[in-house]
PDB file of all heavy atoms in Angstrom:
ATOM      1  N   ALA Y  81       1.994  34.277 -40.769  1.00  0.00           N
ATOM      2  CA  ALA Y  81       1.813  34.753 -42.143  1.00  0.00           C
ATOM      3  C   ALA Y  81       1.521  33.568 -43.042  1.00  0.00           C
ATOM      4  O   ALA Y  81       2.098  32.487 -42.866  1.00  0.00           O
ATOM      5  CB  ALA Y  81       3.061  35.486 -42.627  1.00  0.00           C
ATOM      6  N   GLU Y  82       0.615  33.749 -43.999  1.00  0.00           N
ATOM      7  CA  GLU Y  82       0.234  32.632 -44.860  1.00  0.00           C
ATOM      8  C   GLU Y  82      -0.242  33.129 -46.220  1.00  0.00           C
ATOM      9  O   GLU Y  82      -0.983  34.119 -46.312  1.00  0.00           O
ATOM     10  CB  GLU Y  82      -0.876  31.820 -44.191  1.00  0.00           C
ATOM     11  CG  GLU Y  82      -1.304  30.584 -44.959  1.00  0.00           C
ATOM     12  CD  GLU Y  82      -2.221  29.675 -44.161  1.00  0.00           C
ATOM     13  OE1 GLU Y  82      -2.174  29.727 -42.900  1.00  0.00           O
ATOM     14  OE2 GLU Y  82      -2.979  28.920 -44.781  1.00  0.00           O
ATOM     15  N   TYR Y  83       0.188  32.430 -47.263  1.00  0.00           N
ATOM     16  CA  TYR Y  83      -0.228  32.730 -48.634  1.00  0.00           C
ATOM     17  C   TYR Y  83      -0.765  31.469 -49.289  1.00  0.00           C
ATOM     18  O   TYR Y  83      -0.238  30.376 -49.079  1.00  0.00           O
ATOM     19  CB  TYR Y  83       0.950  33.273 -49.459  1.00  0.00           C
ATOM     20  CG  TYR Y  83       1.363  34.670 -49.069  1.00  0.00           C
ATOM     21  CD1 TYR Y  83       2.270  34.874 -48.029  1.00  0.00           C
ATOM     22  CD2 TYR Y  83       0.825  35.783 -49.708  1.00  0.00           C
ATOM     23  CE1 TYR Y  83       2.630  36.152 -47.641  1.00  0.00           C
ATOM     24  CE2 TYR Y  83       1.186  37.067 -49.335  1.00  0.00           C
ATOM     25  CZ  TYR Y  83       2.087  37.248 -48.300  1.00  0.00           C
ATOM     26  OH  TYR Y  83       2.438  38.519 -47.910  1.00  0.00           O
ATOM     27  N   TRP Y  84      -1.825  31.641 -50.091  1.00  0.00           N
ATOM     28  CA  TRP Y  84      -2.351  30.562 -50.910  1.00  0.00           C
ATOM     29  C   TRP Y  84      -2.120  30.922 -52.369  1.00  0.00           C
ATOM     30  O   TRP Y  84      -2.562  31.988 -52.833  1.00  0.00           O
ATOM     31  CB  TRP Y  84      -3.849  30.375 -50.688  1.00  0.00           C
ATOM     32  CG  TRP Y  84      -4.226  29.930 -49.307  1.00  0.00           C
ATOM     33  CD1 TRP Y  84      -3.385  29.559 -48.293  1.00  0.00           C
ATOM     34  CD2 TRP Y  84      -5.551  29.823 -48.783  1.00  0.00           C
ATOM     35  NE1 TRP Y  84      -4.084  29.223 -47.171  1.00  0.00           N
ATOM     36  CE2 TRP Y  84      -5.428  29.377 -47.439  1.00  0.00           C
ATOM     37  CE3 TRP Y  84      -6.817  30.049 -49.302  1.00  0.00           C
ATOM     38  CZ2 TRP Y  84      -6.539  29.159 -46.620  1.00  0.00           C
ATOM     39  CZ3 TRP Y  84      -7.923  29.845 -48.501  1.00  0.00           C
ATOM     40  CH2 TRP Y  84      -7.783  29.399 -47.172  1.00  0.00           C
ATOM     41  N   VAL Y  85      -1.448  30.035 -53.097  1.00  0.00           N
ATOM     42  CA  VAL Y  85      -1.191  30.252 -54.517  1.00  0.00           C
ATOM     43  C   VAL Y  85      -2.058  29.281 -55.304  1.00  0.00           C
ATOM     44  O   VAL Y  85      -1.862  28.062 -55.234  1.00  0.00           O
ATOM     45  CB  VAL Y  85       0.297  30.034 -54.867  1.00  0.00           C
ATOM     46  CG1 VAL Y  85       0.560  30.397 -56.329  1.00  0.00           C
ATOM     47  CG2 VAL Y  85       1.197  30.860 -53.943  1.00  0.00           C
ATOM     48  N   TYR Y  86      -3.025  29.809 -56.032  1.00  0.00           N
ATOM     49  CA  TYR Y  86      -3.968  28.977 -56.778  1.00  0.00           C
ATOM     50  C   TYR Y  86      -3.353  28.547 -58.112  1.00  0.00           C
ATOM     51  O   TYR Y  86      -2.851  29.378 -58.879  1.00  0.00           O
ATOM     52  CB  TYR Y  86      -5.263  29.747 -57.027  1.00  0.00           C
ATOM     53  CG  TYR Y  86      -6.080  29.962 -55.775  1.00  0.00           C
ATOM     54  CD1 TYR Y  86      -5.844  31.066 -54.945  1.00  0.00           C
ATOM     55  CD2 TYR Y  86      -7.075  29.072 -55.407  1.00  0.00           C
ATOM     56  CE1 TYR Y  86      -6.587  31.259 -53.783  1.00  0.00           C
ATOM     57  CE2 TYR Y  86      -7.834  29.261 -54.249  1.00  0.00           C
ATOM     58  CZ  TYR Y  86      -7.583  30.352 -53.447  1.00  0.00           C
ATOM     59  OH  TYR Y  86      -8.311  30.543 -52.302  1.00  0.00           O
ATOM     60  N   LEU Y  87      -3.414  27.239 -58.388  1.00  0.00           N
ATOM     61  CA  LEU Y  87      -2.788  26.673 -59.579  1.00  0.00           C
ATOM     62  C   LEU Y  87      -3.816  25.925 -60.438  1.00  0.00           C
ATOM     63  O   LEU Y  87      -4.739  25.309 -59.901  1.00  0.00           O
ATOM     64  CB  LEU Y  87      -1.670  25.698 -59.190  1.00  0.00           C
ATOM     65  CG  LEU Y  87      -0.541  26.230 -58.300  1.00  0.00           C
ATOM     66  CD1 LEU Y  87       0.459  25.115 -58.014  1.00  0.00           C
ATOM     67  CD2 LEU Y  87       0.154  27.420 -58.941  1.00  0.00           C
ATOM     68  N   PRO Y  88      -3.619  25.926 -61.760  1.00  0.00           N
ATOM     69  CA  PRO Y  88      -4.523  25.165 -62.631  1.00  0.00           C
ATOM     70  C   PRO Y  88      -4.258  23.667 -62.587  1.00  0.00           C
ATOM     71  O   PRO Y  88      -5.122  22.874 -62.961  1.00  0.00           O
ATOM     72  CB  PRO Y  88      -4.231  25.740 -64.022  1.00  0.00           C
ATOM     73  CG  PRO Y  88      -2.814  26.223 -63.933  1.00  0.00           C
ATOM     74  CD  PRO Y  88      -2.655  26.730 -62.530  1.00  0.00           C
ATOM     75  N   GLY Y  89      -3.080  23.246 -62.162  1.00  0.00           N
ATOM     76  CA  GLY Y  89      -2.727  21.826 -62.089  1.00  0.00           C
ATOM     77  C   GLY Y  89      -2.891  21.275 -60.689  1.00  0.00           C
ATOM     78  O   GLY Y  89      -3.418  21.942 -59.787  1.00  0.00           O
ATOM     79  N   THR Y  90      -2.396  20.055 -60.496  1.00  0.00           N
ATOM     80  CA  THR Y  90      -2.566  19.379 -59.203  1.00  0.00           C
ATOM     81  C   THR Y  90      -1.241  18.870 -58.636  1.00  0.00           C
ATOM     82  O   THR Y  90      -1.229  17.966 -57.800  1.00  0.00           O
ATOM     83  CB  THR Y  90      -3.544  18.188 -59.340  1.00  0.00           C
ATOM     84  OG1 THR Y  90      -3.056  17.286 -60.352  1.00  0.00           O
ATOM     85  CG2 THR Y  90      -4.937  18.671 -59.702  1.00  0.00           C
ATOM     86  N   GLU Y  91      -0.133  19.452 -59.082  1.00  0.00           N
ATOM     87  CA  GLU Y  91       1.167  19.016 -58.590  1.00  0.00           C
ATOM     88  C   GLU Y  91       1.870  20.151 -57.855  1.00  0.00           C
ATOM     89  O   GLU Y  91       1.813  21.308 -58.267  1.00  0.00           O
ATOM     90  CB  GLU Y  91       2.048  18.525 -59.740  1.00  0.00           C
ATOM     91  CG  GLU Y  91       1.535  17.251 -60.407  1.00  0.00           C
ATOM     92  CD  GLU Y  91       2.509  16.725 -61.440  1.00  0.00           C
ATOM     93  OE1 GLU Y  91       3.614  17.307 -61.581  1.00  0.00           O
ATOM     94  OE2 GLU Y  91       2.169  15.732 -62.122  1.00  0.00           O
ATOM     95  N   LEU Y  92       2.550  19.776 -56.781  1.00  0.00           N
ATOM     96  CA  LEU Y  92       3.328  20.734 -56.010  1.00  0.00           C
ATOM     97  C   LEU Y  92       4.646  21.010 -56.733  1.00  0.00           C
ATOM     98  O   LEU Y  92       5.404  20.068 -57.005  1.00  0.00           O
ATOM     99  CB  LEU Y  92       3.608  20.180 -54.612  1.00  0.00           C
ATOM    100  CG  LEU Y  92       4.387  21.065 -53.640  1.00  0.00           C
ATOM    101  CD1 LEU Y  92       3.546  22.271 -53.250  1.00  0.00           C
ATOM    102  CD2 LEU Y  92       4.790  20.271 -52.402  1.00  0.00           C
ATOM    103  N   PRO Y  93       4.944  22.267 -57.078  1.00  0.00           N
ATOM    104  CA  PRO Y  93       6.228  22.564 -57.731  1.00  0.00           C
ATOM    105  C   PRO Y  93       7.402  22.064 -56.900  1.00  0.00           C
ATOM    106  O   PRO Y  93       7.386  22.160 -55.665  1.00  0.00           O
ATOM    107  CB  PRO Y  93       6.216  24.089 -57.825  1.00  0.00           C
ATOM    108  CG  PRO Y  93       4.764  24.449 -57.876  1.00  0.00           C
ATOM    109  CD  PRO Y  93       4.096  23.465 -56.963  1.00  0.00           C
ATOM    110  N   ALA Y  94       8.411  21.518 -57.555  1.00  0.00           N
ATOM    111  CA  ALA Y  94       9.575  20.970 -56.856  1.00  0.00           C
ATOM    112  C   ALA Y  94      10.312  22.072 -56.104  1.00  0.00           C
ATOM    113  O   ALA Y  94      10.476  23.188 -56.606  1.00  0.00           O
ATOM    114  CB  ALA Y  94      10.519  20.303 -57.855  1.00  0.00           C
ATOM    115  N   GLN Y  95      10.761  21.746 -54.884  1.00  0.00           N
ATOM    116  CA  GLN Y  95      11.452  22.739 -54.066  1.00  0.00           C
ATOM    117  C   GLN Y  95      12.717  23.251 -54.744  1.00  0.00           C
ATOM    118  O   GLN Y  95      13.047  24.437 -54.632  1.00  0.00           O
ATOM    119  CB  GLN Y  95      11.805  22.164 -52.698  1.00  0.00           C
ATOM    120  CG  GLN Y  95      12.375  23.223 -51.741  1.00  0.00           C
ATOM    121  CD  GLN Y  95      12.778  22.647 -50.403  1.00  0.00           C
ATOM    122  OE1 GLN Y  95      13.648  21.784 -50.341  1.00  0.00           O
ATOM    123  NE2 GLN Y  95      12.162  23.127 -49.333  1.00  0.00           N
ATOM    124  N   THR Y  96      13.428  22.371 -55.464  1.00  0.00           N
ATOM    125  CA  THR Y  96      14.659  22.806 -56.141  1.00  0.00           C
ATOM    126  C   THR Y  96      14.346  23.858 -57.199  1.00  0.00           C
ATOM    127  O   THR Y  96      15.108  24.824 -57.366  1.00  0.00           O
ATOM    128  CB  THR Y  96      15.359  21.606 -56.803  1.00  0.00           C
ATOM    129  OG1 THR Y  96      14.418  20.901 -57.641  1.00  0.00           O
ATOM    130  CG2 THR Y  96      15.914  20.666 -55.749  1.00  0.00           C
ATOM    131  N   GLU Y  97      13.214  23.711 -57.905  1.00  0.00           N
ATOM    132  CA  GLU Y  97      12.822  24.701 -58.901  1.00  0.00           C
ATOM    133  C   GLU Y  97      12.458  26.025 -58.239  1.00  0.00           C
ATOM    134  O   GLU Y  97      12.803  27.104 -58.748  1.00  0.00           O
ATOM    135  CB  GLU Y  97      11.645  24.186 -59.725  1.00  0.00           C
ATOM    136  CG  GLU Y  97      11.962  23.036 -60.648  1.00  0.00           C
ATOM    137  CD  GLU Y  97      10.762  22.692 -61.518  1.00  0.00           C
ATOM    138  OE1 GLU Y  97      10.406  23.514 -62.381  1.00  0.00           O
ATOM    139  OE2 GLU Y  97      10.188  21.607 -61.316  1.00  0.00           O
ATOM    140  N   VAL Y  98      11.749  25.929 -57.127  1.00  0.00           N
ATOM    141  CA  VAL Y  98      11.362  27.139 -56.398  1.00  0.00           C
ATOM    142  C   VAL Y  98      12.602  27.861 -55.886  1.00  0.00           C
ATOM    143  O   VAL Y  98      12.724  29.092 -56.008  1.00  0.00           O
ATOM    144  CB  VAL Y  98      10.408  26.795 -55.231  1.00  0.00           C
ATOM    145  CG1 VAL Y  98      10.105  28.045 -54.402  1.00  0.00           C
ATOM    146  CG2 VAL Y  98       9.112  26.179 -55.764  1.00  0.00           C
ATOM    147  N   MET Y  99      13.550  27.119 -55.322  1.00  0.00           N
ATOM    148  CA  MET Y  99      14.786  27.719 -54.809  1.00  0.00           C
ATOM    149  C   MET Y  99      15.580  28.394 -55.921  1.00  0.00           C
ATOM    150  O   MET Y  99      16.086  29.516 -55.747  1.00  0.00           O
ATOM    151  CB  MET Y  99      15.640  26.645 -54.127  1.00  0.00           C
ATOM    152  CG  MET Y  99      15.069  26.110 -52.832  1.00  0.00           C
ATOM    153  SD  MET Y  99      16.057  24.756 -52.119  1.00  0.00           S
ATOM    154  CE  MET Y  99      17.560  25.633 -51.689  1.00  0.00           C
ATOM    155  N   THR Y 100      15.677  27.733 -57.063  1.00  0.00           N
ATOM    156  CA  THR Y 100      16.419  28.303 -58.185  1.00  0.00           C
ATOM    157  C   THR Y 100      15.774  29.595 -58.655  1.00  0.00           C
ATOM    158  O   THR Y 100      16.451  30.599 -58.905  1.00  0.00           O
ATOM    159  CB  THR Y 100      16.482  27.300 -59.359  1.00  0.00           C
ATOM    160  OG1 THR Y 100      17.163  26.124 -58.922  1.00  0.00           O
ATOM    161  CG2 THR Y 100      17.221  27.895 -60.550  1.00  0.00           C
ATOM    162  N   ARG Y 101      14.458  29.573 -58.773  1.00  0.00           N
ATOM    163  CA  ARG Y 101      13.724  30.761 -59.209  1.00  0.00           C
ATOM    164  C   ARG Y 101      13.896  31.909 -58.215  1.00  0.00           C
ATOM    165  O   ARG Y 101      14.071  33.065 -58.604  1.00  0.00           O
ATOM    166  CB  ARG Y 101      12.242  30.402 -59.341  1.00  0.00           C
ATOM    167  CG  ARG Y 101      11.283  31.585 -59.457  1.00  0.00           C
ATOM    168  CD  ARG Y 101      11.215  32.146 -60.823  1.00  0.00           C
ATOM    169  NE  ARG Y 101      10.317  33.314 -60.866  1.00  0.00           N
ATOM    170  CZ  ARG Y 101       9.894  33.890 -61.967  1.00  0.00           C
ATOM    171  NH1 ARG Y 101      10.268  33.421 -63.129  1.00  0.00           N
ATOM    172  NH2 ARG Y 101       9.101  34.937 -61.922  1.00  0.00           N
ATOM    173  N   MET Y 102      13.887  31.612 -56.933  1.00  0.00           N
ATOM    174  CA  MET Y 102      13.961  32.656 -55.919  1.00  0.00           C
ATOM    175  C   MET Y 102      15.361  33.228 -55.754  1.00  0.00           C
ATOM    176  O   MET Y 102      15.513  34.430 -55.463  1.00  0.00           O
ATOM    177  CB  MET Y 102      13.479  32.114 -54.576  1.00  0.00           C
ATOM    178  CG  MET Y 102      11.988  31.825 -54.508  1.00  0.00           C
ATOM    179  SD  MET Y 102      11.511  31.101 -52.918  1.00  0.00           S
ATOM    180  CE  MET Y 102      11.851  32.470 -51.794  1.00  0.00           C
ATOM    181  N   ILE Y 103      16.380  32.398 -55.926  1.00  0.00           N
ATOM    182  CA  ILE Y 103      17.753  32.846 -55.627  1.00  0.00           C
ATOM    183  C   ILE Y 103      18.560  33.128 -56.893  1.00  0.00           C
ATOM    184  O   ILE Y 103      18.841  34.280 -57.217  1.00  0.00           O
ATOM    185  CB  ILE Y 103      18.467  31.805 -54.742  1.00  0.00           C
ATOM    186  CG1 ILE Y 103      17.668  31.592 -53.442  1.00  0.00           C
ATOM    187  CG2 ILE Y 103      19.887  32.269 -54.416  1.00  0.00           C
ATOM    188  CD1 ILE Y 103      18.195  30.482 -52.553  1.00  0.00           C
ATOM    189  N   GLN Y 104      18.899  32.086 -57.640  1.00  0.00           N
ATOM    190  CA  GLN Y 104      19.763  32.284 -58.809  1.00  0.00           C
ATOM    191  C   GLN Y 104      19.082  33.012 -59.959  1.00  0.00           C
ATOM    192  O   GLN Y 104      19.716  33.788 -60.672  1.00  0.00           O
ATOM    193  CB  GLN Y 104      20.300  30.929 -59.320  1.00  0.00           C
ATOM    194  CG  GLN Y 104      21.286  30.258 -58.393  1.00  0.00           C
ATOM    195  CD  GLN Y 104      20.612  29.228 -57.490  1.00  0.00           C
ATOM    196  OE1 GLN Y 104      19.419  29.312 -57.225  1.00  0.00           O
ATOM    197  NE2 GLN Y 104      21.389  28.261 -57.024  1.00  0.00           N
ATOM    198  N   GLN Y 105      17.768  32.779 -60.142  1.00  0.00           N
ATOM    199  CA  GLN Y 105      17.075  33.336 -61.298  1.00  0.00           C
ATOM    200  C   GLN Y 105      15.965  34.301 -60.899  1.00  0.00           C
ATOM    201  O   GLN Y 105      14.973  34.458 -61.607  1.00  0.00           O
ATOM    202  CB  GLN Y 105      16.498  32.200 -62.149  1.00  0.00           C
ATOM    203  CG  GLN Y 105      17.557  31.258 -62.709  1.00  0.00           C
ATOM    204  CD  GLN Y 105      16.962  30.087 -63.463  1.00  0.00           C
ATOM    205  OE1 GLN Y 105      15.750  30.019 -63.698  1.00  0.00           O
ATOM    206  NE2 GLN Y 105      17.803  29.144 -63.863  1.00  0.00           N
ATOM    207  N   ASN Y 106      16.123  34.952 -59.768  1.00  0.00           N
ATOM    208  CA  ASN Y 106      15.077  35.864 -59.294  1.00  0.00           C
ATOM    209  C   ASN Y 106      14.936  37.045 -60.265  1.00  0.00           C
ATOM    210  O   ASN Y 106      15.891  37.797 -60.481  1.00  0.00           O
ATOM    211  CB  ASN Y 106      15.431  36.379 -57.892  1.00  0.00           C
ATOM    212  CG  ASN Y 106      14.244  37.037 -57.221  1.00  0.00           C
ATOM    213  OD1 ASN Y 106      13.667  37.983 -57.733  1.00  0.00           O
ATOM    214  ND2 ASN Y 106      13.867  36.534 -56.053  1.00  0.00           N
ATOM    215  N   PRO Y 107      13.767  37.227 -60.860  1.00  0.00           N
ATOM    216  CA  PRO Y 107      13.578  38.290 -61.857  1.00  0.00           C
ATOM    217  C   PRO Y 107      13.569  39.696 -61.271  1.00  0.00           C
ATOM    218  O   PRO Y 107      13.578  40.678 -62.014  1.00  0.00           O
ATOM    219  CB  PRO Y 107      12.226  37.943 -62.484  1.00  0.00           C
ATOM    220  CG  PRO Y 107      11.489  37.224 -61.392  1.00  0.00           C
ATOM    221  CD  PRO Y 107      12.541  36.429 -60.674  1.00  0.00           C
ATOM    222  N   TYR Y 108      13.561  39.796 -59.955  1.00  0.00           N
ATOM    223  CA  TYR Y 108      13.510  41.107 -59.302  1.00  0.00           C
ATOM    224  C   TYR Y 108      14.877  41.532 -58.768  1.00  0.00           C
ATOM    225  O   TYR Y 108      14.978  42.492 -57.993  1.00  0.00           O
ATOM    226  CB  TYR Y 108      12.462  41.084 -58.186  1.00  0.00           C
ATOM    227  CG  TYR Y 108      11.143  40.527 -58.657  1.00  0.00           C
ATOM    228  CD1 TYR Y 108      10.756  39.216 -58.324  1.00  0.00           C
ATOM    229  CD2 TYR Y 108      10.302  41.266 -59.480  1.00  0.00           C
ATOM    230  CE1 TYR Y 108       9.562  38.676 -58.786  1.00  0.00           C
ATOM    231  CE2 TYR Y 108       9.106  40.740 -59.949  1.00  0.00           C
ATOM    232  CZ  TYR Y 108       8.750  39.446 -59.605  1.00  0.00           C
ATOM    233  OH  TYR Y 108       7.572  38.922 -60.085  1.00  0.00           O
ATOM    234  N   SER Y 109      15.922  40.827 -59.178  1.00  0.00           N
ATOM    235  CA  SER Y 109      17.286  41.192 -58.768  1.00  0.00           C
ATOM    236  C   SER Y 109      17.644  42.556 -59.342  1.00  0.00           C
ATOM    237  O   SER Y 109      17.173  42.945 -60.422  1.00  0.00           O
ATOM    238  CB  SER Y 109      18.288  40.142 -59.269  1.00  0.00           C
ATOM    239  OG  SER Y 109      18.044  38.886 -58.660  1.00  0.00           O
ATOM    240  N   ARG Y 110      18.476  43.267 -58.604  1.00  0.00           N
ATOM    241  CA  ARG Y 110      18.932  44.590 -59.056  1.00  0.00           C
ATOM    242  C   ARG Y 110      20.442  44.665 -58.960  1.00  0.00           C
ATOM    243  O   ARG Y 110      21.022  44.397 -57.919  1.00  0.00           O
ATOM    244  CB  ARG Y 110      18.295  45.694 -58.195  1.00  0.00           C
ATOM    245  CG  ARG Y 110      16.785  45.795 -58.327  1.00  0.00           C
ATOM    246  CD  ARG Y 110      16.236  46.959 -57.510  1.00  0.00           C
ATOM    247  NE  ARG Y 110      14.780  47.013 -57.556  1.00  0.00           N
ATOM    248  CZ  ARG Y 110      14.052  47.905 -56.892  1.00  0.00           C
ATOM    249  NH1 ARG Y 110      14.660  48.827 -56.129  1.00  0.00           N
ATOM    250  NH2 ARG Y 110      12.728  47.896 -56.985  1.00  0.00           N
ATOM    251  N   ARG Y 111      21.046  45.012 -60.092  1.00  0.00           N
ATOM    252  CA  ARG Y 111      22.501  45.153 -60.165  1.00  0.00           C
ATOM    253  C   ARG Y 111      23.212  43.912 -59.626  1.00  0.00           C
ATOM    254  O   ARG Y 111      24.201  44.001 -58.893  1.00  0.00           O
ATOM    255  CB  ARG Y 111      22.951  46.395 -59.401  1.00  0.00           C
ATOM    256  CG  ARG Y 111      22.360  47.694 -59.957  1.00  0.00           C
ATOM    257  CD  ARG Y 111      22.720  48.895 -59.098  1.00  0.00           C
ATOM    258  NE  ARG Y 111      22.082  50.107 -59.605  1.00  0.00           N
ATOM    259  CZ  ARG Y 111      22.112  51.292 -59.001  1.00  0.00           C
ATOM    260  NH1 ARG Y 111      22.769  51.408 -57.838  1.00  0.00           N
ATOM    261  NH2 ARG Y 111      21.534  52.334 -59.533  1.00  0.00           N
ATOM    262  N   GLY Y 112      22.674  42.769 -59.996  1.00  0.00           N
ATOM    263  CA  GLY Y 112      23.295  41.509 -59.587  1.00  0.00           C
ATOM    264  C   GLY Y 112      22.982  41.066 -58.176  1.00  0.00           C
ATOM    265  O   GLY Y 112      23.467  40.015 -57.734  1.00  0.00           O
ATOM    266  N   LEU Y 113      22.180  41.834 -57.463  1.00  0.00           N
ATOM    267  CA  LEU Y 113      21.837  41.506 -56.077  1.00  0.00           C
ATOM    268  C   LEU Y 113      20.423  40.936 -56.017  1.00  0.00           C
ATOM    269  O   LEU Y 113      19.463  41.575 -56.458  1.00  0.00           O
ATOM    270  CB  LEU Y 113      21.937  42.749 -55.192  1.00  0.00           C
ATOM    271  CG  LEU Y 113      21.699  42.555 -53.691  1.00  0.00           C
ATOM    272  CD1 LEU Y 113      22.766  41.642 -53.089  1.00  0.00           C
ATOM    273  CD2 LEU Y 113      21.695  43.901 -52.973  1.00  0.00           C
ATOM    274  N   SER Y 114      20.300  39.724 -55.482  1.00  0.00           N
ATOM    275  CA  SER Y 114      18.988  39.084 -55.374  1.00  0.00           C
ATOM    276  C   SER Y 114      18.269  39.544 -54.111  1.00  0.00           C
ATOM    277  O   SER Y 114      18.899  39.711 -53.058  1.00  0.00           O
ATOM    278  CB  SER Y 114      19.143  37.556 -55.342  1.00  0.00           C
ATOM    279  OG  SER Y 114      17.887  36.939 -55.065  1.00  0.00           O
TER     280      SER Y 114
END
Side-chain angles (χ1 to χ4, degrees):
E82 183 170 336
Y83 289 86
W84 295 353
V85 185
Y86 290 87
L87 303 179
T90 57
E91 293 186 4
L92 181 68
Q95 187 182 61
T96 52
E97 291 186 68
V98 175
M99 291 176 67
T100 299
R101 166 81 182 191
M102 290 177 66
I103 302 174
Q104 291 96 336
Q105 298 176 7
N106 194 302
Y108 310 103
S109 296
R110 295 183 184 178
R111 299 175 183 174
L113 184 63
S114 173

